[in-house]
Amino acid sequence: MVQGYHPNSMKLGSFKGGYVGKRHTWIRKHFSSIVFTVALIGFLFLLDSLMSCIFEPSVVQSNSMHKKLSSDMIVPLKFGERGGKSAVQMYDRFASMASSALVELKQDESKFWKESYRQASVWIPCADRKESTSSGTGKLQSNTGYILVSANGGLNQQRVAVCNAVAVASLLNATLVIPRFLFSNVWKDPSQFGDIYQEDYFMKTLKDEVNIVKDLPPHLRSLDFKEIDSLITDADISKEATPTEYIEKVLPLLSKNGVVHFLGYGNRLGFDPLPSELQRLRCKCNYHALKFVPKIQETGSLLIRRIRKYDGPRNKLDKQLLGNFITGSRLKGPVMDREPLKYIALHLRFEVDMVAYSLCEFGGGQVEKTELQAYREVHFPLLVQRLKRSKAVSAEELRRSGRCPLTPEEAALVLAALGFTSETYIYLAGSQIYGGKSRMQPLTNLYPHVITKEDLLSPTELAPFKNFSSQLAALDFIACATANVFAITDSGSQLSSLVSGFRTYYGGAHAPTLRPSKKRLAEIMSKNQTINWNDFESRVSKMISGAQIVRLRGWGRSIYRQPRCPECMCMFR
Ligand SMILES: *[C@@H]1O[C@H](CO)[C@@H](O)[C@H](O)[C@H]1NC(C)=O
Ligand SMILES: *[C@@H]1O[C@H](CO)[C@@H](O)[C@H](O)[C@H]1NC(C)=O
Ligand SMILES: *[C@@H]1O[C@H](CO)[C@@H](O)[C@H](O)[C@H]1NC(C)=O
């Protein structure tokens, strides 16, 4: 911090010696820039500590990485115009093999439009089943107090926080107040629960399991939670805590004060062990109770009708996410006679924060190195300091061990190896790609039909969402979840994780997700000078279909990402 902003502090420091009278004028004159500087420093600090607390525990464990980062932030991109900087490319040989391979391809032959394993269709959604035991009713009558939650993060972290809170309220026999969303300097979105999800539907869907109210009763509203010890922050509860921890630490406060406030709540309830009823409830919350408000559903359905050039629903995912906005006007015009246009939704996690933090190299030579180092010095001073103290891991080693985010080029080569033709439409979700057009070019060269919501919706249609990054992220959620194929480059990202879980739950084996393993891909790519295209294709295909094997959710794994477990889904034979 001090390093990055040294010049400023010098300026302020040297001023101290000036005339007192002049000083006041100076302060008045520069008031806004002082405020701005302080705010900026605060923001950078926040970002840095966010980054380090996310990456610190274990850089290798990519699942826990960067959940809080800007994957939910949406910044419009434009790739249309050509010219300017030339393409940044790491694999020239592959690129030319890929483009000749794509020329040979017939229309839509890729088998990866479908899931690799038929067994996927055996699993059907059932987290909303009625439990035959009568335990539910007794529970609702005993009320130990009120739980207030202020959820952290962007759209997708908030979703996880909400459903964890539902489970905790049920565990403690408490009444849940509709969660609040904390305003963060990263997302700058004042949206509250009711701006994104249908409140009444949420309450109605869960009414037999948890008491939910819109607000605290009047006598509790004016309490100072900190004063009475009812304020519970991330520091008070471990990450992925067990039910026992809640009963030991939170229940006594709840009983004593009648209310607790979880401030900055997020990923604070573990997956195993957990009573199966609570696990089911959490699934029901995530997959059934959270419906987007009509404003989002309506624009979301406009978006996907334009991608598909087709009205009308395609499957359960559409109905679930878009409600009535996607049904109806099927009979309009001659266009509707044909099949909906197929598309891949691609979530590239290749923003500058991610790229700089990874410490990897991406083929941009000295320019890239200097640029990323400068970014780190400003935004991640803690990381820079740590690097000075410890032994550096080489960029090659980082790549080999699967720690480098995939570039747009690598994503394109994977898609080409899987046999998607160059006519394929690719909906690009997410935010600003590091390096912009010159980075995207290896992708757009192979796949010219790259589209974003800014291409599909007019400025007027987007205007009501413009200042609300979470609501824009909801549009991406919809476009990714309802895509024919969802391609992710980083399974640690919360958007990728929640969307792929949604597709597993509602997709009925018709909603494949492509999940390259960074480590295996790095190994394949290390043969970039020798391997022939056929071998490349077969190794990439094997990697992707391997990740589609249908299996039960593993111990401790997220039900938001992998709902195939008895609490959430049923086996249909
Ligand atoms: C919640 O209520 C159920 C049913 O009345 C009871 O068995 C359970 O012990 C209660 N749990 C807590 C934490 O009060
Ligand atoms: C968005 O925010 C900007 C600046 O804060 C403001 O000028 C503009 O009116 C806002 N737009 C909408 C649609 O709320
Ligand atoms: C490409 O191949 C060369 C030669 O085998 C290798 O040294 C290099 O690391 C490879 N590039 C990547 C990014 O794997």
Side-chain angles (χ1 to χ4, degrees), residues 135-144 168-174 247 251 254-255:
S135 67
T137 47
K139 232 176 165 176
L140 286 179
Q141 273 146 23
S142 62
N143 183 11
T144 49
V168 168
S170 168
L171 168 73
L172 301 176
N173 294 340
I247 288 178
L251 190 59
L254 195 60
S255 313

mmCIF file of all heavy atoms in Angstrom, residues 135-144 168-174 247 251 254-255, ligand 1:
data_model
loop_
_atom_site.group_PDB
_atom_site.id
_atom_site.type_symbol
_atom_site.label_atom_id
_atom_site.label_comp_id
_atom_site.label_asym_id
_atom_site.label_seq_id
_atom_site.Cartn_x
_atom_site.Cartn_y
_atom_site.Cartn_z
ATOM 1 N N SER A 135 -42.047 -34.453 11.846
ATOM 2 C CA SER A 135 -41.160 -33.613 12.662
ATOM 3 C C SER A 135 -41.275 -32.121 12.310
ATOM 4 O O SER A 135 -41.090 -31.264 13.149
ATOM 5 C CB SER A 135 -39.705 -34.049 12.483
ATOM 6 O OG SER A 135 -39.299 -33.777 11.165
ATOM 7 N N GLY A 136 -41.621 -31.877 11.057
ATOM 8 C CA GLY A 136 -41.667 -30.492 10.598
ATOM 9 C C GLY A 136 -42.510 -29.569 11.453
ATOM 10 O O GLY A 136 -42.050 -28.519 11.892
ATOM 11 N N THR A 137 -43.727 -29.979 11.736
ATOM 12 C CA THR A 137 -44.670 -29.071 12.383
ATOM 13 C C THR A 137 -44.260 -28.660 13.794
ATOM 14 O O THR A 137 -44.362 -27.497 14.152
ATOM 15 C CB THR A 137 -46.077 -29.691 12.424
ATOM 16 O OG1 THR A 137 -45.917 -31.023 12.887
ATOM 17 C CG2 THR A 137 -46.715 -29.689 11.057
ATOM 18 N N GLY A 138 -43.778 -29.649 14.568
ATOM 19 C CA GLY A 138 -43.385 -29.334 15.935
ATOM 20 C C GLY A 138 -42.308 -28.276 15.960
ATOM 21 O O GLY A 138 -42.317 -27.355 16.777
ATOM 22 N N LYS A 139 -41.394 -28.413 14.993
ATOM 23 C CA LYS A 139 -40.271 -27.515 14.912
ATOM 24 C C LYS A 139 -40.679 -26.059 14.723
ATOM 25 O O LYS A 139 -40.110 -25.151 15.297
ATOM 26 C CB LYS A 139 -39.420 -27.935 13.712
ATOM 27 C CG LYS A 139 -37.998 -28.126 14.095
ATOM 28 C CD LYS A 139 -37.212 -28.619 12.920
ATOM 29 C CE LYS A 139 -35.752 -28.450 13.212
ATOM 30 N NZ LYS A 139 -34.909 -28.970 12.177
ATOM 31 N N LEU A 140 -41.691 -25.880 13.889
ATOM 32 C CA LEU A 140 -42.081 -24.520 13.567
ATOM 33 C C LEU A 140 -42.691 -23.796 14.756
ATOM 34 O O LEU A 140 -42.712 -22.576 14.798
ATOM 35 C CB LEU A 140 -43.065 -24.517 12.398
ATOM 36 C CG LEU A 140 -42.441 -24.806 11.035
ATOM 37 C CD1 LEU A 140 -43.485 -24.795 9.955
ATOM 38 C CD2 LEU A 140 -41.364 -23.785 10.721
ATOM 39 N N GLN A 141 -43.205 -24.587 15.703
ATOM 40 C CA GLN A 141 -43.847 -23.931 16.835
ATOM 41 C C GLN A 141 -42.845 -23.412 17.872
ATOM 42 O O GLN A 141 -43.038 -22.363 18.458
ATOM 43 C CB GLN A 141 -44.864 -24.870 17.487
ATOM 44 C CG GLN A 141 -46.217 -24.746 16.800
ATOM 45 C CD GLN A 141 -46.971 -26.065 16.750
ATOM 46 O OE1 GLN A 141 -46.723 -26.948 17.550
ATOM 47 N NE2 GLN A 141 -47.884 -26.182 15.818
ATOM 48 N N SER A 142 -41.773 -24.180 18.054
ATOM 49 C CA SER A 142 -40.797 -23.679 19.016
ATOM 50 C C SER A 142 -39.901 -22.669 18.316
ATOM 51 O O SER A 142 -39.287 -22.958 17.299
ATOM 52 C CB SER A 142 -39.955 -24.838 19.547
ATOM 53 O OG SER A 142 -39.246 -25.426 18.496
ATOM 54 N N ASN A 143 -39.849 -21.483 18.836
ATOM 55 C CA ASN A 143 -39.034 -20.470 18.198
ATOM 56 C C ASN A 143 -37.982 -19.967 19.187
ATOM 57 O O ASN A 143 -38.295 -19.386 20.207
ATOM 58 C CB ASN A 143 -39.914 -19.319 17.716
ATOM 59 C CG ASN A 143 -39.097 -18.269 16.977
ATOM 60 O OD1 ASN A 143 -37.929 -18.503 16.661
ATOM 61 N ND2 ASN A 143 -39.680 -17.119 16.731
ATOM 62 N N THR A 144 -36.728 -20.228 18.829
ATOM 63 C CA THR A 144 -35.659 -19.844 19.745
ATOM 64 C C THR A 144 -35.222 -18.396 19.563
ATOM 65 O O THR A 144 -34.449 -17.890 20.356
ATOM 66 C CB THR A 144 -34.431 -20.754 19.528
ATOM 67 O OG1 THR A 144 -34.163 -20.793 18.132
ATOM 68 C CG2 THR A 144 -34.694 -22.148 20.037
ATOM 69 N N VAL A 168 -29.322 -23.083 8.722
ATOM 70 C CA VAL A 168 -28.951 -22.752 10.101
ATOM 71 C C VAL A 168 -30.195 -22.368 10.912
ATOM 72 O O VAL A 168 -30.364 -22.790 12.061
ATOM 73 C CB VAL A 168 -27.898 -21.619 10.142
ATOM 74 C CG1 VAL A 168 -27.727 -21.060 11.544
ATOM 75 C CG2 VAL A 168 -26.560 -22.138 9.627
ATOM 76 N N ALA A 169 -31.095 -21.610 10.305
ATOM 77 C CA ALA A 169 -32.330 -21.233 10.998
ATOM 78 C C ALA A 169 -33.118 -22.479 11.380
ATOM 79 O O ALA A 169 -33.639 -22.593 12.492
ATOM 80 C CB ALA A 169 -33.168 -20.303 10.132
ATOM 81 N N SER A 170 -33.158 -23.433 10.466
ATOM 82 C CA SER A 170 -33.881 -24.662 10.764
ATOM 83 C C SER A 170 -33.175 -25.468 11.853
ATOM 84 O O SER A 170 -33.810 -25.972 12.776
ATOM 85 C CB SER A 170 -34.028 -25.481 9.483
ATOM 86 O OG SER A 170 -34.467 -26.767 9.773
ATOM 87 N N LEU A 171 -31.873 -25.540 11.762
ATOM 88 C CA LEU A 171 -31.082 -26.262 12.768
ATOM 89 C C LEU A 171 -31.344 -25.715 14.168
ATOM 90 O O LEU A 171 -31.463 -26.464 15.137
ATOM 91 C CB LEU A 171 -29.596 -26.129 12.425
ATOM 92 C CG LEU A 171 -28.577 -26.561 13.489
ATOM 93 C CD1 LEU A 171 -28.557 -28.084 13.593
ATOM 94 C CD2 LEU A 171 -27.178 -26.060 13.153
ATOM 95 N N LEU A 172 -31.450 -24.393 14.278
ATOM 96 C CA LEU A 172 -31.583 -23.767 15.597
ATOM 97 C C LEU A 172 -33.032 -23.463 15.966
ATOM 98 O O LEU A 172 -33.301 -22.793 16.960
ATOM 99 C CB LEU A 172 -30.757 -22.469 15.632
ATOM 100 C CG LEU A 172 -29.257 -22.623 15.349
ATOM 101 C CD1 LEU A 172 -28.577 -21.271 15.324
ATOM 102 C CD2 LEU A 172 -28.599 -23.534 16.381
ATOM 103 N N ASN A 173 -33.960 -23.955 15.155
ATOM 104 C CA ASN A 173 -35.385 -23.674 15.357
ATOM 105 C C ASN A 173 -35.645 -22.169 15.470
ATOM 106 O O ASN A 173 -36.450 -21.727 16.284
ATOM 107 C CB ASN A 173 -35.908 -24.357 16.627
ATOM 108 C CG ASN A 173 -35.891 -25.867 16.501
ATOM 109 O OD1 ASN A 173 -35.850 -26.404 15.398
ATOM 110 N ND2 ASN A 173 -35.916 -26.558 17.633
ATOM 111 N N ALA A 174 -34.958 -21.415 14.658
ATOM 112 C CA ALA A 174 -35.095 -19.963 14.735
ATOM 113 C C ALA A 174 -35.941 -19.451 13.572
ATOM 114 O O ALA A 174 -36.230 -20.184 12.624
ATOM 115 C CB ALA A 174 -33.721 -19.312 14.692
ATOM 116 N N ILE A 247 -24.548 -24.903 17.329
ATOM 117 C CA ILE A 247 -25.315 -25.151 18.556
ATOM 118 C C ILE A 247 -24.535 -24.683 19.777
ATOM 119 O O ILE A 247 -25.089 -24.087 20.693
ATOM 120 C CB ILE A 247 -25.706 -26.647 18.627
ATOM 121 C CG1 ILE A 247 -26.793 -26.897 17.582
ATOM 122 C CG2 ILE A 247 -26.199 -27.017 20.021
ATOM 123 C CD1 ILE A 247 -27.261 -28.313 17.463
ATOM 124 N N LEU A 251 -26.388 -20.824 19.470
ATOM 125 C CA LEU A 251 -27.646 -21.056 20.181
ATOM 126 C C LEU A 251 -27.727 -20.346 21.539
ATOM 127 O O LEU A 251 -28.758 -19.737 21.853
ATOM 128 C CB LEU A 251 -27.908 -22.566 20.311
ATOM 129 C CG LEU A 251 -29.292 -22.965 20.818
ATOM 130 C CD1 LEU A 251 -30.395 -22.425 19.909
ATOM 131 C CD2 LEU A 251 -29.412 -24.481 20.944
ATOM 132 N N LEU A 254 -28.536 -16.797 20.959
ATOM 133 C CA LEU A 254 -29.892 -16.689 20.443
ATOM 134 C C LEU A 254 -30.896 -16.811 21.590
ATOM 135 O O LEU A 254 -31.848 -16.033 21.699
ATOM 136 C CB LEU A 254 -30.100 -17.799 19.414
ATOM 137 C CG LEU A 254 -31.299 -17.724 18.477
ATOM 138 C CD1 LEU A 254 -31.242 -16.468 17.634
ATOM 139 C CD2 LEU A 254 -31.310 -18.952 17.560
ATOM 140 N N SER A 255 -30.657 -17.771 22.456
ATOM 141 C CA SER A 255 -31.576 -17.969 23.579
ATOM 142 C C SER A 255 -31.535 -16.778 24.531
ATOM 143 O O SER A 255 -32.551 -16.350 25.053
ATOM 144 C CB SER A 255 -31.215 -19.233 24.359
ATOM 145 O OG SER A 255 -30.990 -20.290 23.491
HETATM 146 C C1 LIG B 1 -35.734 -27.912 17.564
HETATM 147 O O1 LIG B 1 -37.017 -28.516 17.660
HETATM 148 C C2 LIG B 1 -37.025 -29.922 17.590
HETATM 149 C C3 LIG B 1 -38.475 -30.401 17.543
HETATM 150 O O2 LIG B 1 -39.265 -29.712 18.477
HETATM 151 C C4 LIG B 1 -36.244 -30.490 18.770
HETATM 152 O O3 LIG B 1 -36.190 -31.891 18.677
HETATM 153 C C5 LIG B 1 -34.811 -29.933 18.717
HETATM 154 O O4 LIG B 1 -34.071 -30.362 19.845
HETATM 155 C C6 LIG B 1 -34.841 -28.419 18.686
HETATM 156 N N1 LIG B 1 -33.480 -27.931 18.488
HETATM 157 C C7 LIG B 1 -33.015 -26.858 19.096
HETATM 158 C C8 LIG B 1 -31.607 -26.494 18.778
HETATM 159 O O5 LIG B 1 -33.695 -26.183 19.853
#
